[in-house]
Amino acid sequence: MIGNILVALVALIHAYIVYLEMVLWDTPRGHKAFNLTPEFASASKVLAANQGLYNGFLAAGLIWGLYLGAAGFQVKLFFLSCVAIAGLYGAATVGRKILFIQTVPAAVALIAVWLGW
């Protein structure tokens, strides 16, 4: 039960990231969220939307795992692992903040699901 709540939380975080990257990237809110200049945001809008789509696939995979119930155990583990690894890469290449926004929630959810909480 706790594991599924945490999986849903990670999915919601990624749904919000999708919204930020695909809709709000070139707005003051997107600039603030990603520490962007308006010029950079405008120039990279298409790339950000593509990145947002990938985050959407992560959210969809987690939702799929939840939908499958007990049969979704491996699906949830796979997509949580993908989120955690992507977060580690992002923290190493973009900024440490990603570690706390993406990797830590995914790792906690992964442990909870693995332990059957």
Side-chain angles (χ1 to χ4, degrees):
M1 173 77 169
I2 292 171
N4 283 338
I5 291 169
L6 293 173
V7 170
L9 178 63
V10 174
L12 286 172
I13 289 169
H14 276 73
Y16 183 63
I17 292 170
V18 170
Y19 183 65
L20 283 170
E21 291 175 339
M22 296 187 84
V23 177
L24 298 180
W25 185 262
D26 199 15
T27 68
R29 187 171 182 150
H31 300 166
K32 183 178 178 186
F34 295 104
N35 196 27
L36 306 171
T37 65
E39 297 78 24
F40 180 81
S42 179
S44 60
K45 187 174 182 174
V46 173
L47 293 172
N50 186 48
Q51 185 172 300
L53 185 63
Y54 286 99
N55 278 300
F57 291 140
L58 293 173
L62 293 170
I63 293 166
W64 177 39
L66 290 170
Y67 173 77
L68 293 173
F73 175 77
Q74 291 178 331
V75 172
K76 289 181 269 191
L77 291 182
F78 174 76
F79 280 97
L80 287 169
S81 297
C82 289
V83 169
I85 292 167
L88 287 173
Y89 184 79
T93 59
V94 176
R96 192 171 169 205
K97 182 172 125 177
I98 295 171
L99 186 70
F100 301 103
I101 292 172
Q102 189 169 341
T103 306
V104 170
V108 171
L110 187 62
I111 291 166
V113 169
W114 183 264
L115 294 176
W117 292 351

